[in-house]
Amino acid sequence: MTGTAEHTGTRRRGPFLITAGALFVLLFDGNLPTPLYSVYRQRFGFSGTELTLIFAVYMAVLVPSLLVFGQLSDQIGRRRVLIGGLSLGAVGLILLAAAQNTAWLFAGRIAAGIALGATAGTAAAALVELEPGDDKNKAALATVLAQSGGSAAGPLVAGALAEWAPAPRQLSYGVGLVLTVVTAIAVSRLPREQVSGRWRPQRPSVPAEIRTRFARAGLSAATVWAVGGIFLSVVPSYTAQLLHTHNLALLGAVSAMMLAAACAVQAVSVRISLSPQRAQPAGLLALVAGLAALIGAFPAKSLVLVVLAAVLAGSGLGLTYFGAQSEINQLAPGEQRGEVTAAFLTCVYLGVAATAISAGLLSDLYSLPTAIAAVGVAAGVTALGAFGWQLKR
């Protein structure tokens, strides 16, 4: 029996790692443009509002795609949806690499948004089903590490290549394209699933018996990723103003630092067996402290406060998101896992969209430090509200 169990675990570990890799690659691809927007603005001459619209259209297609493809993967299988998402992600990278004007950026981000929407919920559900020991906490760790790690690696790699390598607007997308094609080939070789092959569009839903717990986890995750959205969209520009620098490697590293902190605390959370009920409120408090440091960094002209903000906010994101994803994995019924996971991720990306778009619009109307302060205060108040709800379990 022991030999059989070991063989089964080994057999399933490959598909589990490939699926986690697919999620990592799509987040890596989706965040490659983060440090490059300043380059695009100089070359194509668009405003801060247009930059916000590029981000908004990405979210506008990502959220419906999560809901549609989360259901679809429950019916036709995770493998098919993952291959489709990776293929469309490759198209998005080609469009961005070939961009000649702002319209190409819009097209590339639309393709990337649909690709990530198709892949994110599907991969998260597949990881629960493929985890060799049927451990939902380890599946949650793989999900959040792939998302946070991919989101961190994208701007870090793109910033370094744009600063120190040739073809700053193309090379990082070439790297992403190679990774995406290799990953798609690996996914295509995963075992075929036994599925009905039929799908009827229907209104996404969360089972009534889990809605309260779902809403609490969804609000907490949305709040911490709303702050993550600030770091991935406007904090690089904020840092550039603060330090009077255009070093793309440094600006990409600021976003990566926040998400690297998230990955580190997620790994520690599993190692010490931190429960979702404890991880979420602890993370929300760390997030509030990080926001306070971020808001105070500009008046103080302090890089130290920016770094502290990244570490605290990243730790808060890591703790809270790990706890929320673990709770959703435990709550979701097997036959609706893709649908419920997609609904949860919809909450997450709505939070990202709300702060990133608000900060972009406010920075055009007032100033970037004012926008960061306003959005940061709103996110902090929401985090404190979510913290209070977490304590009322």
Side-chain angles (χ1 to χ4, degrees):
M1 286 294 291
T2 302
T4 302
E6 289 176 356
H7 173 75
T8 300
T10 302
R11 179 175 58 83
R12 295 179 68 191
R13 192 171 293 116
F16 180 79
L17 293 175
I18 289 170
T19 302
L23 184 57
F24 176 94
V25 166
L26 262 295
L27 268 297
F28 175 85
D29 292 349
N31 287 286
L32 284 173
T34 297
L36 301 178
Y37 284 127
S38 61
V39 177
Y40 291 131
R41 288 186 71 170
Q42 289 177 0
R43 183 172 182 83
F44 301 145
F46 55 77
S47 68
T49 299
E50 286 176 291
L51 176 57
T52 301
L53 290 175
I54 292 170
F55 193 85
V57 76
Y58 174 70
M59 289 296 168
V61 297
L62 191 158
V63 170
S65 298
L66 275 167
L67 296 173
V68 170
F69 288 103
Q71 279 188 340
L72 182 62
S73 74
D74 284 335
Q75 301 301 317
I76 71 168
R78 318 293 186 205
R79 176 177 164 274
R80 292 181 184 177
V81 174
L82 287 173
I83 292 172
L86 288 162
S87 301
L88 188 55
V91 172
L93 291 172
I94 292 169
L95 288 169
L96 291 169
Q100 299 299 311
N101 54 48
T102 308
W104 289 69
L105 299 182
F106 276 103
R109 295 306 280 164
I110 288 171
I114 297 173
L116 182 57
T119 308
T122 300
L127 287 169
V128 176
E129 296 159 357
L130 294 171
E131 204 289 314
D134 295 320
D135 187 327
K136 291 183 172 60
N137 283 343
K138 288 185 179 178
L141 177 64
T143 300
V144 296
L145 283 178
Q147 289 178 312
S148 302
S151 298
L156 188 63
V157 170
L161 291 178
E163 185 65 29
W164 295 312
R169 291 185 297 110
Q170 288 85 28
L171 186 57
S172 62
Y173 298 125
V175 171
L177 184 61
V178 171
L179 288 174
T180 303
V181 171
V182 170
T183 303
I185 292 171
V187 171
S188 72
R189 294 180 177 177
L190 293 178
R192 292 182 180 273
E193 301 141 293
Q194 296 297 319
V195 293
S196 67
R198 298 183 190 134
W199 177 64
R200 281 197 317 251
Q202 60 186 34
R203 183 174 62 84
S205 63
V206 175
E209 62 272 17
I210 67 169
R211 283 178 190 165
T212 298
R213 292 179 65 189
F214 174 93
R216 183 166 51 222
L219 175 63
S220 297
T223 302
V224 294
W225 266 109
V227 176
I230 299 174
F231 274 86
L232 288 170
S233 57
V234 296
V235 165
S237 298
Y238 180 75
T239 307
Q241 287 188 22
L242 175 68
L243 302 179
H244 304 290
T245 181
H246 297 289
N247 187 304
L248 299 176
L250 174 61
L251 300 181
V254 172
S255 298
M257 189 186 309
M258 187 271 293
L259 292 164
C263 291
V265 300
Q266 286 158 2
V268 171
S269 297
V270 167
R271 191 168 187 83
I272 65 175
S273 301
L274 188 66
S275 71
Q277 293 77 16
R278 291 185 177 181
Q280 292 177 76
L284 289 164
L285 285 182
L287 185 83
V288 172
L291 284 168
L294 182 65
I295 293 168
F298 206 90
K301 304 295 182 186
S302 172
L303 175 61
V304 173
L305 281 178
V306 173
V307 171
L308 181 62
V311 172
L312 287 172
S315 299
L317 188 155
L319 283 169
T320 304
Y321 188 49
F322 164 73
Q325 182 69 65
S326 296
E327 190 162 5
I328 293 300
N329 286 355
Q330 294 165 9
L331 291 174
E335 68 280 3
Q336 289 181 273
R337 182 167 287 120
E339 183 178 350
V340 172
T341 302
F344 170 69
L345 290 174
T346 297
C347 297
V348 168
Y349 283 107
L350 285 174
V352 173
T355 52
I357 293 170
S358 298
L361 293 174
L362 287 171
S363 67
D364 264 5
L365 291 172
Y366 302 101
S367 68
L368 189 51
T370 300
I372 293 281
V375 174
V377 168
V381 170
T382 305
L384 290 174
F387 171 78
W389 195 7
Q390 288 287 342
L391 295 183
K392 290 181 180 179
R393 289 175 180 271

